[in-house]
Amino acid sequence: MTLAAPRIDVFRIPTRIMFGRGVSERVAEPLAQVAAKRVLIVTDPGVVKAGLVAPIEQRIREAGIAHEIYDGVVPDPVVADVERCFERARDMRADALVAIGGGSSIDTAKMAAVLMTNGGTVLDYVGIDKVPRPAAPVVAIPTTAGTGAEITINSVIADPEQHKKLVIISPNATALFALEDPDMTRGLPPFLTAITGMDTLVHAVESYVNKNTYPMTRSLAIEAIRDAGWALPRAVKDGSDLEARERMMRAVVSASLAFSNTRLGNVHAMALPLGGWCHVAHGTAVAVLLPHVMEFNRTAAPDRFAEVGEALGVGKDPQAAVRRTHALLEETGIPTRLSECGVTDDKIGAMAKDAMQSGNIAVNPRATTLADIEALYRAAL
Ligand SMILES: [Fe+2]
């Protein structure tokens, strides 16, 4: 008799996380830990205008660290945008980066930091575990509670020529430090709060039910579902509700630790082509798709979906869990149909083919064909 090889669970946490109100003002501590002498602050003009950069810059100045600000980050950065940030860091001979912003700023900084120590171009590192050397130190300070880019080993960079979003997955392409400061999200407008928060909820749900899940990741994911399910509608309704802001940020940390170690599922496989072909914002794409993919998956993992329902406060019932996610879209002002986001039927064929290339399809709880993906896009249209 031959026995199956024992399953090995691998849990990777390359990022050191500090969590709490006001923690962003302690930026000099992680910079001292890596003996940073010259720092490039990577951000976008909106974050500067919101006054979120000045207090952090002040702390860096007080610590006597030479620094410059690069505020050229754009939404959905492309390969050339990363190169531009990298060149700025190289020209000032930066030895560390401080990223302040949403997923676009943090991913730009993560990949510029990869180029600082590995050379080459972003295209050399697309895929899983293709980055040989650890990136230069990045201190990531998120201003949204959503993508988890400050913790995850994933970065997403757009390639407009191929209508593709390139995914780089490597424990060498992460931020070394994440400063999770709920105060930094206080001014985030309701719609951005809603779509970034839904991204976190989707990360948690997909991680909880997928084929790679194991007890350690499940305990994190279910906690994230509980926190986000409670806090998201409250943070959208009243941005100054600090308990809601704090629990949303806790949800980001738990969900990111979980999904960095399990990958995701059909929602994320289908969301990337919606960005590449139809320019739908990531958070909007995953939010609209979630109830449809849950409906498709729920019979493949009924017990898990029942637990999702319980964590969302609607009882141990898979169908109630699906209904609750749909209601959350309406409560938080997110479109419920892809056609409201500029998506047209003629793009579905190309998007479905791209979605099938994603490694997230293989870990989805229910086996999925090209025809299934096309049907799911149509159901959400
Ligand atoms: Fe996501």
Side-chain angles (χ1 to χ4, degrees), residues 146-147 198-200 202-203 206 259 264 268 271 282-283 286:
T147 65
M198 279 301 285
D199 192 24
T200 283
V202 179
H203 292 159
E206 293 214 283
F259 93 82
L264 292 155
H268 273 78
H282 178 73
V286 297

Side-chain angles (χ1 to χ4, degrees), residues 151-239:
I151 295 173
T152 65
I153 62 172
N154 309 347
S155 302
V156 181
I157 304 295
D159 179 355
E161 277 148 48
Q162 296 186 71
H163 299 288
K164 271 203 177 133
K165 295 252 182 143
L166 310 172
V167 184
I168 298 95
I169 303 179
S170 166
N172 284 335
T174 63
L176 189 57
F177 299 90
L179 306 189
E180 305 278 1
D181 182 349
D183 283 349
M184 293 292 281
T185 66
R186 206 160 26 169
L188 194 67
F191 185 70
L192 279 177
T193 300
I195 60 171
T196 51
M198 279 301 285
D199 192 24
T200 283
L201 181 65
V202 179
H203 292 159
V205 171
E206 293 214 283
S207 176
Y208 190 71
V209 301
N210 82 14
K211 285 184 183 160
N212 280 354
T213 177
Y214 53 94
M216 194 160 35
T217 63
R218 275 203 296 282
S219 59
L220 287 161
I222 202 75
E223 196 62 27
I225 295 167
R226 215 171 279 133
D227 279 334
W230 182 89
L232 181 58
R234 285 170 178 80
V236 170
K237 201 163 150 215
D238 176 8

Side-chain angles (χ1 to χ4, degrees), residues 288 292 336-346 348 351 375-381:
V288 178
H292 300 282
T336 54
R337 311 228 62 91
L338 290 177
S339 53
E340 295 169 58
C341 313
V343 181
T344 47
D345 196 272
D346 59 309
I348 287 179
M351 290 196 301
L376 281 166
Y377 277 129
R378 285 215 169 83
L381 199 63

Side-chain angles (χ1 to χ4, degrees), residues 19 67 86 94 108 142 158 175 178 198-199 201 236 246 248-249 258 275 285 289 291 306 313 321 327 345 350 377:
F19 186 103
H67 63 279
F86 161 66
T108 299
M198 279 301 285
D199 192 24
L201 181 65
V236 170
E246 188 162 332
M248 268 319 298
M249 205 152 229
L289 292 169
D345 196 272
Y377 277 129

